């Protein structure tokens, strides 16, 4: 543990401290300013609004995708695993289609968050993995484990897309 | 005893009396720190006031990821720096020499000497702030990086360099 050298009382001179009454005077000024400021708790922030709006669109696309796909499940003869993987595939596609709507709002910003780049790389890796698994399922024999794995990959992909959205919202 | 976080939550709900508690708790530390960057008490009062006003205005953005004091000090530093940036005004003590010529060797144990205050006041605002925040106020390197808005490693190296300069100047003066 680093030892700090100096005690404040030995470092600061008397000149570093406020004069008598300064503390109360300053609080009065601060208090007046705070009281006169209206709606500090709610300030309309266009950037946050745009992100929130975009996120709402993403959620809408996602649930619409899931709803229509689920409907098909009920009236489909395909194996359950295949139907589920198709459902996730469609939902993720819808999710991704809506993503640029949110990110578009940030286009003018030059600073790119490092974490977002990392997430994007993860997203690419995951997309390749999904593609490989899908090809494997098509070309060789499919199995429950493979379908389960595919569904897990889709779930992970959605989480990453979700985390990109969250990062975008938090980005200063 | 009520924790500072619960006081902050009250402030976030608009409780000004709770904010007075935060003010009482942090006012003096902030004032004496900022007074190291100007001899003009009116100016220091302005910085302190503005920092507290801005902190209140943005209190709903405070996410409890750092200490309140770290967050407040970072707002205050921005106030002070934006003042000196306006109209190219500069801190009255901005006359630092190029420290790179001092080399990179490790400084043996640094011991503060009271005379070093003069040399410290000759350094630029950033170095001075980093030194005071670490050595006097006891903030960690990570917290200082948050306050100053520089990478942690850069803050560390600036502190190292500052100590080296102070020690060298003090030794030179002792020899003379």
């Amino acid at each position: 543990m680093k030892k700090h050298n100096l005690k404040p009382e030995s470092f600061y001179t008397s000149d570093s401290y406020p004069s008598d009454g300064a503390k109360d005077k300053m609080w009065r000024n601060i208090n007046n300013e705070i009281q006169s400021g209206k709606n500090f708790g709610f300030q309309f922030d266009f950037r946050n609004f745009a992100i929130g709006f975009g996120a709402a669109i993403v959620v809408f696309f996602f649930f619409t995708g899931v709803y229509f796909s689920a409907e098909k499940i009920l009236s489909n003869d395909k194996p359950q695993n295949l139907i589920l993987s198709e459902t996730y595939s469609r939902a993720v596609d819808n999710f991704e289609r809506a993503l640029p709507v949110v990110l578009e709002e940030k286009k003018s910003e030059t600073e790119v968050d490092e974490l977002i780049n990392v997430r994007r790389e993860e997203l690419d890796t995951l997309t390749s993995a999904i593609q490989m698994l899908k090809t494997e399922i098509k070309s060789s024999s499919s199995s429950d484990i493979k379908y389960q794995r595919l569904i897990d990959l889709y779930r992970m992909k959605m989480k990453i897309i979700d985390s990109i959205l969250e990062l975008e919202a938090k980005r200063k | 005893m009520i924790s500072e976080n619960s006081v902050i939550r009250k402030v976030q709900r608009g409780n000004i009396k709770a904010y007075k508690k935060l003010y009482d708790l942090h006012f003096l530390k902030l004032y004496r720190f900022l007074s190291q960057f100007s001899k003009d008490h009116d100016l220091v009062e302005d910085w302190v006031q503005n920092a507290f006003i801005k902190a209140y205005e943005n209190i709903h953005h405070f996410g409890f990821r750092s200490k309140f004091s770290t967050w407040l000090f970072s707002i205050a530093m921005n106030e002070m720096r934006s003042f000196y940036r306006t109209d190219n005004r500069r801190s009255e003590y901005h006359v630092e020499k190029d420290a790179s010529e001092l080399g990179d060797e490790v400084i043996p144990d640094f011991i503060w000497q009271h005379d070093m205050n003069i040399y410290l006041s000759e350094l630029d605002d950033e170095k001075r702030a980093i030194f005071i925040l670490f050595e006097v106020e006891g903030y960690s390197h990570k917290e200082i990086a948050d306050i100053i808005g520089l990478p942690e490693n850069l803050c560390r190296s600036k502190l190292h360099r500052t100590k080296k300069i102070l020690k060298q100047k003090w030794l030179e003066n002792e020899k003379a």
Side-chain angles (χ1 to χ4, degrees), chain A residues 153-166:
Chain A
L153 289 175
Y154 280 130
R155 280 195 186 122
M156 281 166 69
K157 196 170 174 180
M158 280 194 288
K159 277 183 188 163
I160 290 171
I161 294 171
D162 191 39
S163 107
I164 291 176
L165 288 171
E166 272 183 23

Side-chain angles (χ1 to χ4, degrees), chain A residues 34 39-43, chain B residues 4-16 18-20 22-23 26 51-69 71-72 75:
Chain A
I34 287 171
N39 298 324
F40 278 145
F42 177 78
Q43 289 171 339
Chain B
E4 187 171 82
N5 282 357
S6 67
V7 176
I8 295 167
R9 283 197 185 89
K10 283 184 183 175
V11 179
Q12 287 178 327
R13 292 194 292 270
N15 187 332
I16 294 177
Y19 196 53
K20 175 71 163 64
L22 287 179
Y23 174 78
H26 299 285
F52 272 102
I53 290 165
K54 284 189 177 162
Y56 184 85
E57 284 173 358
N58 292 288
I59 195 81
H60 52 286
H61 291 314
F62 182 74
F64 301 93
R65 283 180 290 272
S66 64
K67 287 193 286 189
F68 177 76
S69 64
W71 187 64
L72 179 68
I75 294 171

Side-chain angles (χ1 to χ4, degrees), chain B residues 91-105:
Chain B
S91 170
E92 56 260 57
Y93 297 121
H94 197 105
V95 284
E96 185 202 350
K97 282 182 187 171
D98 182 11
S100 59
E101 67 198 32
L102 295 169
D104 277 337
E105 74 280 8

Side-chain angles (χ1 to χ4, degrees), chain B residues 70-130:
Chain B
T70 308
W71 187 64
L72 179 68
F73 270 59
S74 72
I75 294 171
M77 274 298 288
N78 283 338
E79 267 306 301
M80 184 267 285
R81 286 195 287 206
S82 71
F83 170 81
Y84 283 125
R85 267 199 302 268
T86 313
D87 300 330
N88 291 324
R89 282 180 294 213
R90 296 178 71 121
S91 170
E92 56 260 57
Y93 297 121
H94 197 105
V95 284
E96 185 202 350
K97 282 182 187 171
D98 182 11
S100 59
E101 67 198 32
L102 295 169
D104 277 337
E105 74 280 8
V106 176
I107 323 164
D109 287 342
F110 174 84
I111 299 164
W112 171 259
Q113 308 292 339
H114 194 69
D115 295 350
M116 286 180 178
N117 226 329
I118 300 159
Y119 311 128
L120 184 66
S121 68
E122 290 171 354
L123 297 178
D124 68 77
D125 296 338
E126 228 160 55
K127 285 200 183 71
R128 220 167 345 138
I130 291 169

